[in-house]
Amino acid sequence: MQEFATIIIDFDSTLVQVESLEDLAALALADADDRTERIQAIADLTNQAMTGTMGFDEALARRIPLLGARRDHLSALVEVLKQKYTPSLLRNEAWFRANSERLYVVSGGFREFIVPVMEPLGFKQEHIFANTFLFDDEGNITGADPTNFLAQDDGKTALLRHLDLPRPRLIIGDGFSDYQLRASGECEQFYALTENIHRAEVVDRADRILTSFDELLM
Ligand SMILES: [Mg+2]
C-alpha cells in the first residue's frame, strides 16, 4: 500500500455494508402503505447505476422522490449506519486512522450523513466528497445540488480531475462509478471490495479483488 500517494474509497457497500439511500427510505417510509414497493424500486435503480446500465445522474434523480425523506430522518440514519460499518474496516481502524492524510472518501451518497458516520473513525471531514441534499421550507428532501460534480454521470472522474490529488492513486469500491475512475485514468488501480456485495460487471474489470480490507493491509 505504500506505493499509493492517494487512496480513494467509496462509501455505500464499501465502508458500510448497505446502500444508505435504501436505509433512509426504510426510515422515511416506515408507515407508508407502498413501503415495500418503493424500497424495491430504489434498490433496482441503485443496482442499475452500480452495474453501469443507467447513468448515475438519472438513477439519483429518480430515487430521491421515492425516498419521502425529511431533514429530521438524517440523524436516525446516522445512528443506523454506525451499526453497519464494514467489519474489516472496524478490525483495521488503527490503520485507517494512521493513514488519514492520504485517505479520501468519494461517494455518490450524501455529506449530511457520511461525514458524521466516518469522522468517528478518524476520516478527515475535508477529505470527504459527496453530494448535498436540497430541502424545501418544510424540511423535505427535494433533490441533490445539481452543481456538485458527484450529482452528474461519471461525476467521480470530474471531481478527481478537479482535485488533482497526488499520484499514484488507488480507488477501492464495489460499483461501476468506482471502476470509471480507473477507466478514465484518474486512478492508476481499481480494487473491487467484495466483502459486502459482489457485482460481476464490476469485479471483472478490477485490477485486484479484495474480499476484505484485511487483504489491503497484507
Ligand atoms: Mg458503493
Side-chain angles (χ1 to χ4, degrees), residues 106-162:
V106 174
S107 169
F110 289 83
R111 270 190 79 80
E112 285 87 348
F113 53 80
I114 296 175
V115 168
V117 169
M118 296 316 301
E119 271 196 316
L121 294 181
F123 284 77
K124 297 163 78 83
Q125 181 174 331
E126 63 271 28
H127 286 198
I128 296 174
F129 293 90
N131 279 303
T132 47
F133 285 123
L134 298 176
F135 301 92
D136 66 14
D137 291 344
E138 275 113 50
N140 296 301
I141 293 173
T142 58
D145 177 358
T147 66
N148 190 315
F149 287 117
L150 293 166
Q152 300 154 22
D153 192 38
D154 202 5
K156 291 187 177 185
T157 292
L159 174 73
L160 263 285
R161 203 163 277 150
H162 172 76

Side-chain angles (χ1 to χ4, degrees), residues 9-16 18-19 46 50 106-108 156 172-178 197 199:
I9 312 179
D10 172 52
F11 181 72
D12 288 294
S13 300
T14 295
L15 290 169
V16 291
V18 292
E19 292 292 323
T46 299
M50 290 303 105
V106 174
S107 169
K156 291 187 177 185
I172 303 169
D174 63 281
F176 190 77
S177 58
D178 306 311
I197 189 162
R199 305 184 205 270

Side-chain angles (χ1 to χ4, degrees), residues 40-55:
Q40 187 58 49
I42 290 167
D44 290 345
L45 289 163
T46 299
N47 262 321
Q48 289 180 63
M50 290 303 105
T51 54
T53 56
M54 182 185 289

Side-chain angles (χ1 to χ4, degrees), residues 78-124:
V78 168
E79 294 314 308
V80 168
L81 294 176
K82 283 179 174 176
Q83 304 303 315
K84 297 186 176 182
Y85 290 120
T86 297
S88 67
L89 165 67
L90 292 180
R91 281 202 297 277
N92 297 293
E93 183 182 338
W95 182 89
F96 284 92
R97 283 187 185 281
N99 285 272
S100 63
E101 268 317 314
R102 62 177 171 144
L103 292 179
Y104 288 78
V105 178
V106 174
S107 169
F110 289 83
R111 270 190 79 80
E112 285 87 348
F113 53 80
I114 296 175
V115 168
V117 169
M118 296 316 301
E119 271 196 316
L121 294 181
F123 284 77
K124 297 163 78 83

Side-chain angles (χ1 to χ4, degrees), residues 24 70-78 112-113 133 135 141:
L24 178 57
R70 298 186 310 272
R71 190 190 301 275
D72 53 14
H73 291 123
L74 295 175
S75 55
L77 177 64
V78 168
E112 285 87 348
F113 53 80
F133 285 123
F135 301 92
I141 293 173

